[in-house]
Amino acid sequence: MSNARFTRRALLGTATAVALGAATGTARAATAAQVPSLWREFTRTPYTHPQIPYIGGAGARRHPRRPLVLDVRRYGAVADGVTDSAPAINRAIAAAGRAGGGTVLIPPGTFRIDDVIRVGHSGVVLRGAGSGRTKLYATRNLTELIGVYGSRYGGDKSSWSWAGGLIWLAPTARWDSLVAAIRAKAWPFEGWTGNKRDEWRQLTTVEPARQGTWTVTVADASQLRPGRLVLLRLSDDSGHTLLEHMAGGGPGPEAYYWDDKTKLLSYVPYEWPVRVAHVHGRKVTLERPLPLDLRPEWNPQLTTHVEELTGSGVEGLTLEAVETPQQPHLLDLGYNGVVLQCAYDCWVDDVTVRHVDNGFGLVAASACTLRRTTVAGRGSHHPYFCREGSHDNLVEDFTIEQRTVPAPANTQLHGINVEGLSSYNVWSRGDMRMGTFDSHRGLPFANVRTDITVNNDGRHGGDANAGPLFGARFTHWNIRVTNGRAGLMKLDQLAPYSATVGLNTVTEFDQIDVPDFTGDLHTRLELYGTTDVVRPRNLYEAQRRL
């Protein structure tokens, strides 16, 4: 992908078309629709705008389907709701993996599973007949199946409160190493460089460059080729200038005290997976523009990583856990839904999870798409979680249904979570009948929530030693808060160098936050007090059209 595709003339032409489209619609739209100045600014500087991130490339690409199709019934699966079909389903998945990829079909009916369903090979798609026709009925939790999973930060918390799924997409070797570490009670890091973050080697150093650049200059391109997935690795310096940069820079982040934020500091180095698009001499063009500046003091380099899972997905099914009471906060047993881990360019489509502790997870996952997903049933701790350095993901057409039973005492509800230096993720076209826009601290930055209706009744979380709630370039665009609660909806007093555009009037109550940074936050607020009048209506879709 080259910059030539994105000319200023094309961008401005699209912006004009959007405005004209609004003006020539219904009479109501003609009088109400408004194009904010922030959008006009963005079209002039789409990759470097100070408040709005470029997220038009978020999500998975389309992949050709492998010709191999395997029916789980051939491997012993029975749709009677009684027979444990997990071994059969996993045998079919493994067979597709050995063949180099393929589609594993689960026909209509209810299939009981007493184990984790594991997609561990690239190019493997697990496909049901539709979320209303194929059901996996899960009878056991991850504590029973794998073991107690403590927190690497200490205490008596269960890491199943934010990790793992009963359908788990992760490279086989990575999954095996995680399970071995959990069973040995050597609580692991969960990302791209292994349990101890030491499974990598340098490919080349990278010369200084600016955020938004597509082409960088490397010291040695001999190990790089188009299509290769690499990690861009940025280390912090003693003055924490990398973290300051993620927060927008300037007096506020410079005055912030970073040294005692031990959990936050454990997330660094920042690791960003990206494919190489083109190599010409020492010039390397990337699949996406740089998420941050590259400065010598951060030792920018391209490195290896654990083997990725790519081109795999789960489609057209419901995962229903046996209904049990929701556990007290942070003591989840692991009746979890679908998780993508160390996955790049993978997807979930038309999947519902019901009666789960935690719904859909992105854990060190990048360039993945969750589409037409629903969290339903007795209520969840994290309906959606995005953590451990997950980047460039798209969650669209998602629903969090109202819980079917009252919340037990001492439980917690979050919503669409993002944390742990995760960046450039998008939540689009959502129907949140409960929950909130949860930041779990850990300085997530450059994330977008757009075209979402939310009954804002959840609470955000996060330890104090995980640092700030927000970094720079958070954007909330066309958000409809049905109960008028402000918490984490209106960003102008909380997030540095960020934007809130097209939000109805909201009022503070209950969980009221104060900004992490002092002074002028350089945030923008436009079309506040309106409902669904901002044009473009959906920031992601508008950027995609560019």
Side-chain angles (χ1 to χ4, degrees):
M1 189 178 291
S2 68
N3 290 351
R5 292 179 56 193
F6 299 93
T7 65
R8 179 177 173 182
R9 178 177 295 176
L11 292 167
L12 288 174
T14 302
T16 302
V18 169
L20 288 173
T24 57
T26 64
R28 181 179 181 276
T31 57
Q34 298 182 53
V35 179
S37 60
L38 271 165
W39 174 250
R40 301 183 191 280
E41 292 174 12
F42 177 83
T43 62
R44 295 192 287 271
T45 58
Y47 309 122
T48 59
H49 192 276
Q51 281 88 14
I52 297 176
Y54 172 72
I55 41 80
R61 299 176 300 177
R62 291 187 179 274
H63 288 264
R65 299 296 173 131
R66 307 294 176 101
L68 179 67
V69 177
L70 303 175
D71 190 315
V72 297
R73 292 173 296 187
R74 289 176 48 198
Y75 293 82
V78 181
D80 61 4
V82 176
T83 304
D84 176 16
S85 293
I89 295 170
N90 282 326
R91 284 195 295 268
I93 292 170
R98 288 192 300 270
T103 300
V104 175
L105 293 180
I106 309 179
T110 297
F111 295 81
R112 173 173 168 163
I113 57 170
D114 296 345
D115 201 356
V116 178
I117 302 302
R118 305 182 300 277
V119 178
H121 293 88
S122 293
V124 174
V125 178
L126 182 65
R127 181 190 295 166
S131 59
R133 302 182 68 203
T134 296
K135 180 193 293 187
L136 302 184
Y137 180 62
T139 63
R140 304 176 72 190
N141 58 62
L142 294 168
T143 301
E144 294 173 298
L145 294 170
I146 296 175
V148 172
Y149 188 3
S151 170
R152 66 178 184 250
Y153 301 105
D156 61 355
K157 302 171 184 176
S158 168
S159 285
W160 298 129
S161 301
W162 55 76
L166 293 169
I167 300 178
W168 200 330
L169 289 80
T172 295
R174 188 72 185 100
W175 192 86
D176 289 344
S177 70
L178 286 165
V179 170
I182 293 165
R183 288 176 173 164
K185 301 190 185 306
W187 314 131
F189 285 92
E190 301 157 274
W192 286 99
T193 50
N195 296 342
K196 298 181 180 179
R197 299 194 77 175
D198 58 358
E199 297 179 37
W200 63 277
R201 62 179 176 83
Q202 179 179 284
L203 296 171
T204 182
T205 57
V206 187
E207 293 186 4
R210 298 297 301 273
Q211 173 213 324
T213 301
W214 293 74
T215 299
V216 297
T217 302
V218 302
D220 177 10
S222 62
Q223 299 185 77
L224 305 178
R225 66 182 185 280
R228 179 169 187 176
L229 185 69
V230 297
L231 279 189
L232 172 66
R233 182 180 174 94
L234 297 178
S235 302
D236 205 2
D237 58 12
S238 60
H240 302 300
T241 59
L242 175 61
L243 296 176
E244 291 173 3
H245 177 54
M246 292 175 181
E254 289 172 4
Y256 186 81
Y257 190 72
W258 303 93
D259 286 336
D260 63 348
K261 309 303 186 295
T262 54
K263 189 172 183 178
L264 172 62
L265 297 179
S266 75
Y267 298 146
V268 183
Y270 175 79
E271 296 170 337
W272 182 62
V274 65
R275 288 201 190 279
V276 174
H278 183 69
V279 180
H280 183 73
R282 293 195 299 123
K283 300 290 186 181
V284 178
T285 301
L286 304 174
E287 187 178 39
R288 290 175 168 82
L290 289 177
L292 294 163
D293 289 352
L294 308 185
R295 300 179 188 174
E297 56 266 34
W298 303 333
N299 188 25
Q301 53 189 311
L302 300 180
T303 75
T304 63
H305 49 82
V306 300
E307 182 181 3
E308 71 271 18
L309 183 74
T310 189
S312 295
V314 178
E315 303 173 350
L317 58 83
T318 288
L319 172 67
E320 180 174 316
V322 58
E323 186 170 0
T324 59
Q326 187 176 347
Q327 293 295 299
H329 190 218
L330 300 177
L331 297 179
D332 296 351
L333 296 175
Y335 289 105
N336 294 349
V338 184
V339 165
L340 289 77
Q341 185 161 6
C342 295
Y344 191 93
D345 207 4
C346 294
W347 66 92
V348 177
D349 189 10
D350 182 28
V351 172
T352 294
V353 295
R354 183 173 289 114
H355 303 322
V356 293
D357 293 335
N358 301 282
F360 294 90
L362 297 160
V363 181
S366 292
C368 295
T369 295
L370 307 181
R371 178 178 291 117
R372 299 189 297 167
T373 55
T374 298
V375 181
R378 52 87 156 153
S380 301
H381 180 192
H382 295 96
Y384 292 82
F385 55 99
C386 177
R387 52 178 294 274
E388 201 76 8
S390 290
H391 315 292
D392 304 300
N393 297 295
L394 171 65
V395 182
E396 68 177 357
D397 297 314
F398 66 96
T399 301
I400 303 174
E401 292 188 357
Q402 185 58 254
R403 65 189 313 134
T404 55
V405 297
N410 302 316
T411 60
Q412 188 62 272
L413 165 66
H414 297 306
I416 51 174
N417 155 270
V418 62
E419 61 182 282
L421 302 185
S422 295
S423 62
Y424 294 87
N425 301 291
V426 184
W427 292 261
S428 169
R429 294 200 306 262
D431 179 9
M432 296 176 59
R433 300 167 198 173
M434 64 178 191
T436 193
F437 290 180
D438 174 37
S439 168
H440 249 53
R441 300 189 176 272
L443 198 64
F445 66 95
N447 297 287
V448 168
R449 286 91 169 229
T450 183
D451 193 11
I452 297 171
T453 300
V454 51
N455 177 40
N456 187 26
D457 63 354
R459 299 173 67 88
H460 74 76
D463 295 335
N465 64 7
L469 281 168
F470 303 101
R473 296 188 304 286
F474 253 83
T475 302
H476 290 174
W477 187 285
N478 193 17
I479 306 300
R480 302 168 292 274
V481 184
T482 59
N483 63 346
R485 175 179 168 177
L488 299 190
M489 300 288 129
K490 187 169 174 280
L491 296 172
D492 58 304
Q493 299 299 318
L494 288 174
Y497 286 94
S498 293
T500 306
V501 181
L503 171 71
N504 58 283
T505 303
V506 291
T507 305
E508 294 283 6
F509 71 97
D510 195 21
Q511 190 175 31
I512 300 175
D513 291 292
V514 296
D516 293 292
F517 304 107
T518 58
D520 187 353
L521 295 181
H522 301 280
T523 61
R524 301 279 293 275
L525 180 67
E526 281 198 71
L527 299 181
Y528 177 59
T530 66
T531 300
D532 209 21
V533 304
V534 60
R535 297 296 182 270
R537 190 176 194 267
N538 185 295
L539 183 61
Y540 166 75
E541 292 173 358
Q543 289 196 22
R544 190 83 170 178
R545 285 193 293 269
L546 299 183

